[in-house]
Amino acid sequence: MDDDLLSGHLQELRRGTIVVACLSVLKRPGYGYGLLEALEQAGFAVEANTLYPLLRRLEKQGLLTSSWDTDEARPRKFYTTSEKGSELLDLLLAEWDDLHSSIHQLNEEGRS
Amino acid sequence: MTTLTDRYVFAALKSIPEENRDDIDRELRGSITDAIEARIDSGQAPAEAESTVLTEFGDPRQLAARYAEQPLYLVGPDLYLSWLRVLKLLLWIVGATSFVGVLVIRMAIEPQDPIIAFSAALSACIGALIQVAFWVTLVFAILQRTGVRRSSLGLKTWAPEMLPPIERHKQVSLADTIATVILLAFSIGLLLWQRVGSLLYLEGKPVLVLQEHLWNFWLPYLIAVLVLEAVFAVVLFAVGRWTLPLAAVNLGVAVLFVIPALWLLATDQVFDWSFLSSVDWDVATARWIAGITAAAVVVLGLWDIASGFLKASRSDAQVVSTR
């Protein structure tokens, strides 16, 4: 498989899932770099320059709340999924499940 | 001492709204430092780690654009098609009118210099096209940047009724159009060439075929009409088929040419007969030449007009039959 071709389509496929992943991970409060690492370990390679602006956008949309933790040596901005964010996440996950079963059904039909 | 990170954050914050800067500054600096420290912990040298992390972050202006949610393009997909349509339309209209307008005005002011008039018209046309392209794009870029969308401009959303009719056989081919335009340009060139030289030479001297005084008005006029014919050919190609209004315009342009040409021929104002004396022809021959020319003008003119209407009626019938 052509690497560029594959990575292009994978990127397209994952684009919308980053929001789902962020809202899921941030049910427990997390800060920027920590989230970046968590996503990377889970197989969502997001670039820092995409993720950080995205977090602020989600916060502006009321899907995340944030607070500064100044107890540590370095102050960090912690984001948490808000109630509205949880609601949206549930809707997105339901859609995700629908898509999953639809796609598999389509493939089953294609096979038979 | 300023570090690379300081410079990076400074560059990124420059185009971010004032009220968000402090917050983004702290957060961004923290995230960058986190990433650098992670690399140092895994054994990379500090300077190298900083450079690698900042490289991964990419151009700070791009980062700033993402924070500010400003697009990094001039005209986005929402406005692109409107931009293209407006641009094309204005390029045609302004290009054609500036060319014809300048040509006619220059010839009216300085009839003795058609070549200069022609080149002035050409450069005016090119200048106008560049202006149109610039201003139209600027306006659309501003609309894009200020968040104006098609819907807020009151532009219609696309609907199936907007589909153009199918043309079974495209009536107006590109090759025909190009041939017509080249032929017209060649004719204009021939007329202009009369100013500086001649097609005919007798004993090494250029012979005037057309009367000198025609340059005062009629030749510039006829050249302008020829230019109009070329513009018409291009418009016809853009439309793709003959319609009754187009046939009517074609009639109008043909009349603009035929009537003055016939009148000039009838009043013996076209040919400079002085060359006839040198080849020992008489007045009867001159009448013959004028007569044949007049007949050709009439036949070609009528044929042009008639074929326009004929094609228009045929294309109407075809459009109806495809519905």
Side-chain angles (χ1 to χ4, degrees):
Chain A
M1 178 60 70
D2 183 343
D3 275 355
D4 283 349
L5 188 73
L6 177 65
S7 68
H9 283 283
L10 280 180
Q11 200 185 7
E12 200 116 318
L13 195 59
R14 285 175 181 158
R15 190 162 289 156
T17 65
I18 292 170
V19 170
V20 177
C22 284
L23 293 174
S24 302
V25 175
L26 291 174
K27 281 177 183 169
R28 280 193 224 151
Y31 62 97
Y33 185 73
L35 177 63
L36 195 71
E37 284 207 305
L39 291 178
E40 194 156 22
Q41 274 165 20
F44 288 87
V46 197
E47 291 193 13
N49 60 11
T50 306
L51 183 68
Y52 298 140
L54 174 69
L55 290 176
R56 293 192 74 88
R57 193 160 82 239
L58 294 178
E59 188 190 359
K60 218 166 96 185
Q61 293 171 342
L63 304 170
L64 296 176
T65 55
S66 72
S67 62
W68 281 93
D69 179 0
T70 47
D71 295 344
E72 306 274 325
R74 179 181 312 133
R76 278 173 177 151
K77 193 176 189 180
F78 276 77
Y79 292 94
T80 317
T81 304
S82 69
E83 211 167 296
K84 190 178 167 190
S86 298
E87 261 174 61
L88 183 83
L89 178 61
D90 288 343
L91 292 172
L92 291 178
L93 284 176
E95 179 67 23
W96 176 264
D97 288 340
D98 279 356
L99 278 173
H100 179 86
S101 47
S102 304
I103 293 284
H104 278 279
Q105 203 176 338
L106 287 175
N107 275 290
E108 290 302 316
E109 283 168 14
R111 217 168 285 163
S112 62
Chain B
M1 206 187 86
T2 57
T3 62
L4 269 183
T5 306
D6 291 331
R7 282 159 56 196
Y8 186 89
V9 174
F10 177 77
L13 290 177
K14 255 200 306 194
S15 51
I16 285 172
E18 195 79 44
E19 67 264 26
N20 297 331
R21 274 191 204 166
D22 283 348
D23 200 46
I24 294 181
D25 185 335
R26 273 216 291 182
E27 190 190 6
L28 188 55
R29 211 177 279 275
S31 302
I32 291 173
T33 317
D34 279 339
I36 293 173
E37 276 179 8
R39 285 186 171 272
I40 293 174
D41 286 348
S42 61
Q44 214 170 8
E48 198 191 330
E50 184 177 36
S51 161
T52 318
V53 168
L54 292 182
T55 308
E56 278 175 4
F57 265 77
D59 191 322
R61 281 179 305 176
Q62 185 169 24
L63 181 66
R66 285 182 179 162
Y67 271 118
E69 289 176 58
Q70 271 172 352
L72 289 175
Y73 42 74
L74 215 50
V75 177
D78 183 58
L79 291 175
Y80 177 80
L81 287 174
S82 309
W83 167 78
L84 196 66
R85 268 187 214 125
V86 172
L87 186 65
K88 273 191 192 164
L89 188 70
L90 285 183
L91 284 178
W92 277 122
I93 294 172
V94 174
T97 47
S98 62
F99 185 85
V100 176
V102 170
L103 189 68
V104 169
I105 291 169
R106 287 299 287 256
M107 289 306 283
I109 298 170
E110 286 177 280
Q112 63 276 16
D113 231 333
I115 289 179
I116 286 187
F118 195 81
S119 61
L122 196 65
S123 73
C125 178
I126 292 170
L129 293 181
I130 293 170
Q131 291 278 337
V132 167
F134 173 77
W135 290 107
V136 169
T137 308
L138 181 69
V139 168
F140 272 88
I142 291 171
L143 291 179
Q144 180 77 56
R145 234 119 279 254
T146 50
V148 177
R149 294 290 166 264
R150 264 182 67 84
S151 47
S152 46
L153 281 175
L155 293 171
K156 277 187 274 182
T157 47
W158 185 88
E161 297 84 73
M162 290 159 111
L163 287 171
I166 293 175
E167 293 129 24
R168 284 222 178 125
H169 310 282
K170 204 154 165 75
Q171 265 189 325
V172 190
S173 74
L174 180 63
D176 281 354
T177 308
I178 291 175
T180 307
V181 171
I182 288 178
L183 194 69
L184 287 166
F186 184 70
S187 312
I188 294 171
L190 270 188
L191 290 177
L192 291 178
W193 180 245
Q194 285 286 310
R195 286 299 294 163
V196 287
S198 175
L199 290 182
L200 298 177
Y201 284 84
L202 275 184
E203 292 151 9
K205 286 180 190 163
V207 172
L208 278 181
V209 176
L210 299 175
Q211 289 184 29
E212 193 73 32
H213 79 92
L214 285 175
W215 284 110
N216 291 333
F217 177 75
W218 284 111
L219 281 177
Y221 168 83
L222 291 176
I223 288 172
V225 174
L226 289 175
V227 172
L228 217 56
E229 296 254 18
V231 172
F232 178 79
V234 173
V235 170
L236 183 66
F237 175 72
V239 174
R241 64 188 190 90
W242 282 88
T243 61
L244 277 180
L246 279 176
V249 172
N250 183 51
L251 168 89
V253 179
V255 166
L256 283 181
F257 190 90
V258 170
I259 301 292
L262 286 182
W263 177 73
L264 289 172
L265 284 166
T267 49
D268 202 13
Q269 293 186 65
V270 176
F271 297 110
D272 191 325
W273 300 120
S274 55
F275 74 90
L276 289 185
S277 56
S278 48
V279 288
D280 202 22
W281 285 350
D282 54 15
V283 182
T285 321
R287 286 218 187 94
W288 267 106
I289 294 175
I292 290 170
T293 314
V297 167
V298 170
V299 169
L300 288 176
L302 287 180
W303 179 74
D304 181 31
I305 292 167
S307 84
F309 280 104
L310 198 66
K311 285 172 180 166
S313 67
R314 254 190 236 147
S315 113
D316 274 356
Q318 198 177 64
V319 169
V320 170
S321 74
T322 54
R323 274 184 188 153

